[in-house]
Amino acid sequence: MAKKIFIIAGEVSGDILGADLMKSIIKEDKNVCFFGVGGEEMQKIKGFHSLFDIKDIAVMGIVEVLKNLKIIKVRIREVVNKIIDVNPDLVITIDSPGFNMRVIKEVRKTLPNIKALHYVAPQVWAWKEKRAKKVAKLYDYLFCFFDFEVPYFTKYGLRTFAVGHTAIKNVVGNKSRFLKKYKLKATDNIITMLPGSRVQIAKRLLPIYKEVVEKLSLKLKNLKIVIPATSTSYDFLMEEIKSWKIKPLIIRTKSDRYDAFVASEAVLSISGTAVLEVAVAKTPVVVAYKLSPLSYMIAKHLVKIKNVSLPNIIMGRKVVPEFIQKECNVDNLVEATAKVVNNKKYRENSIKELENMRKKIIQKKAPSDIGAEIVLDILNDFL
């Protein structure tokens, strides 16, 4: 009899994690079927159909969640009812803790003994440390990215496993392929810009990026701008760039995204997983991030760490420049991006620092393969 896994990914990064994990599970055991919620990557897995478009729940920020609370509540109820109907052998929730933890809490009212695993540990080392205890009460298992995260949860009895970060294995780009495909020259100054997959965040960053591009064109010859799009941001991006004087190249596939990283002189990126992907590609990156004023005012009183980007957190010092909130302005971003392209010594040092970070987190097996082994042990009642 086939084992049933209900898997939920609420945003693009989670969708990629989910797809990789599903592929690794199927590789080891084809007698597993999947149900749940996911994006375009998970829906490429044969037999998987998402309950709804993840755009509805790909929301970040306190104010933004409140604005979308009605539809989020509807989707929570829809997912809960489906899980109860399927009665899976395991529920796997990926990231999006605000949504996923509510789902598991509601499911346990009807199915108290259901096995539940959360993938991507909440960053309790950065803020809201009490969430570790809450996660331990709701879940049976937890996957985190890094070893240093494990003790925060095991102290509450939660079976926690460090599987590694997918960026380590996934980011394999090809510069010549990218140049050939899009008819670009080796002498072009390619800058990739990542405004984020969430439209509400991209709305704040893109007007800034637009001005950055115009000013960078005066400092960098043969400037070419690339913006990777996702299923949740493509339509918005295409509409937004209509007013840009220098039209960016919008790319859509994961392979193009990684090719763009290695083909770029620099990447201007939102904070998050994307920064680590760029860092693993050893391409100098400048971090830009902007919340709504209210969300930022609340968050700054809760966050315990000085740096927000993963390369800086992993290394314990600033190895990539970060510009948050008021510092996330046109002049700062132009100066930092131009410096990393034009200043040879600074650029070489940036690349060296990123290589050191990569060595620190490298591992032999893919995170999805490690995760799949644990999931199959859970399904077989070995854990």
Side-chain angles (χ1 to χ4, degrees):
M1 187 174 179
K3 295 287 187 179
K4 296 181 291 186
I5 295 178
F6 198 100
I7 186 166
I8 309 165
E11 54 189 292
V12 173
S13 59
D15 176 46
I16 295 171
L17 288 173
D20 287 344
L21 181 61
M22 291 162 77
K23 288 173 190 173
S24 291
I25 292 170
I26 292 168
K27 184 172 62 178
E28 295 297 322
D29 187 347
K30 292 180 172 58
N31 197 33
V32 176
C33 55
F34 297 96
F35 306 81
V37 178
E40 58 184 16
E41 293 300 321
M42 286 170 61
Q43 291 184 82
K44 291 176 183 176
I45 307 297
K46 187 177 180 181
F48 180 84
H49 303 285
S50 182
L51 278 177
F52 50 79
D53 194 318
I54 62 172
K55 287 180 183 177
D56 289 349
I57 58 174
V59 180
M60 184 178 181
I62 298 163
V63 176
E64 292 77 8
V65 169
L66 290 173
K67 287 180 180 177
N68 293 276
L69 195 56
K70 187 175 181 180
I71 185 64
I72 291 172
K73 284 183 176 180
V74 170
R75 293 311 191 191
I76 287 173
R77 177 45 51 190
E78 189 175 349
V79 174
V80 169
N81 289 341
K82 188 65 177 178
I83 292 174
I84 293 170
D85 180 57
V86 171
N87 191 17
D89 298 283
L90 176 67
V91 178
I92 300 175
T93 61
I94 304 176
D95 213 350
S96 305
F99 182 88
N100 282 322
M101 289 176 71
R102 285 174 175 83
V103 167
I104 297 300
K105 185 177 180 180
E106 289 300 312
V107 167
R108 287 209 183 275
K109 291 177 181 179
T110 303
L111 301 173
N113 296 319
I114 197 166
K115 291 180 179 179
L117 180 154
H118 188 64
Y119 191 173
V120 186
Q123 294 177 340
V124 296
W125 39 269
W127 71 317
K128 290 186 178 180
E129 190 171 341
K130 290 181 180 178
R131 282 187 302 171
K133 189 175 183 179
K134 187 176 180 182
V135 172
K137 283 185 177 180
L138 283 175
Y139 288 92
D140 304 288
Y141 311 93
L142 177 69
F143 286 173
C144 56
F145 289 143
F146 307 110
D147 289 331
F148 76 82
E149 297 176 286
V150 173
Y152 286 94
F153 300 93
T154 53
K155 71 178 181 180
Y156 295 112
L158 181 59
R159 305 193 76 169
T160 305
F161 306 87
V163 297
H165 202 290
T166 54
I168 304 165
K169 289 285 183 181
N170 281 1
V171 184
V172 181
N174 187 310
K175 180 175 181 176
S176 59
R177 178 173 61 192
F178 189 76
L179 297 181
K180 183 178 180 180
K181 181 175 181 177
Y182 292 105
K183 297 181 173 61
L184 297 167
K185 299 175 183 177
T187 53
D188 287 334
N189 270 314
I190 300 171
I191 305 294
T192 293
M193 293 184 157
L194 300 169
S197 59
R198 299 182 183 93
V199 170
Q200 76 267 23
I201 299 292
K203 280 181 178 178
R204 293 193 194 97
L205 287 180
L206 279 172
I208 299 172
Y209 282 7
K210 178 183 176 182
E211 290 188 51
V212 168
V213 170
E214 291 176 11
K215 289 195 174 184
L216 273 179
S217 67
L218 304 176
K219 293 176 175 288
L220 303 177
K221 294 179 180 180
N222 304 318
L223 179 65
K224 304 293 181 184
I225 302 299
V226 177
I227 302 181
T230 65
S231 58
T232 58
S233 67
Y234 179 77
D235 292 339
F236 169 73
L237 285 173
M238 293 304 293
E239 184 64 30
E240 185 72 15
I241 66 169
K242 286 180 180 179
S243 63
W244 288 36
K245 292 179 182 177
I246 299 174
K247 291 290 189 291
L249 168 64
I250 305 295
I251 58 175
R252 298 193 68 173
T253 68
K254 187 164 67 171
S255 60
D256 276 356
R257 174 188 175 92
Y258 297 152
D259 286 354
F261 290 169
V262 298
S264 296
E265 295 301 307
V267 175
L268 183 57
S269 176
I270 186 175
S271 179
T273 299
V275 178
L276 190 62
E277 289 180 333
V278 177
V280 168
K282 294 185 287 186
T283 300
V285 57
V286 175
V287 176
Y289 199 70
K290 204 162 192 175
L291 288 168
S292 70
L294 180 57
S295 292
Y296 178 73
M297 183 179 70
I298 295 170
K300 74 177 183 178
H301 292 296
L302 299 174
V303 174
K304 302 183 295 183
I305 53 176
K306 293 180 180 179
N307 299 312
V308 300
S309 59
L310 282 170
N312 293 342
I313 292 167
I314 291 166
M315 296 301 286
R317 53 193 170 83
K318 190 163 285 189
V319 296
V320 301
E322 300 177 352
F323 298 98
I324 312 301
Q325 217 60 12
K326 288 183 179 179
E327 291 185 356
C328 180
N329 58 57
V330 175
D331 290 340
N332 283 344
L333 298 181
V334 169
E335 182 182 352
T337 306
K339 182 178 181 180
V340 86
V341 176
N342 290 330
N343 188 321
K344 185 179 179 181
K345 187 175 180 180
Y346 179 78
R347 179 179 181 78
E348 288 175 350
N349 185 64
S350 296
I351 293 171
K352 184 179 179 181
E353 290 279 32
L354 297 179
E355 173 61 19
N356 289 336
M357 185 220 70
R358 188 178 184 278
K359 289 177 180 176
K360 193 170 182 177
I361 60 175
I362 199 74
Q363 58 189 35
K364 291 182 179 179
K365 294 182 72 172
S368 60
D369 289 342
I370 296 171
E373 289 177 2
I374 297 168
V375 167
L376 291 172
D377 280 348
I378 292 169
L379 292 177
N380 292 319
D381 292 325
F382 297 152
L383 287 175

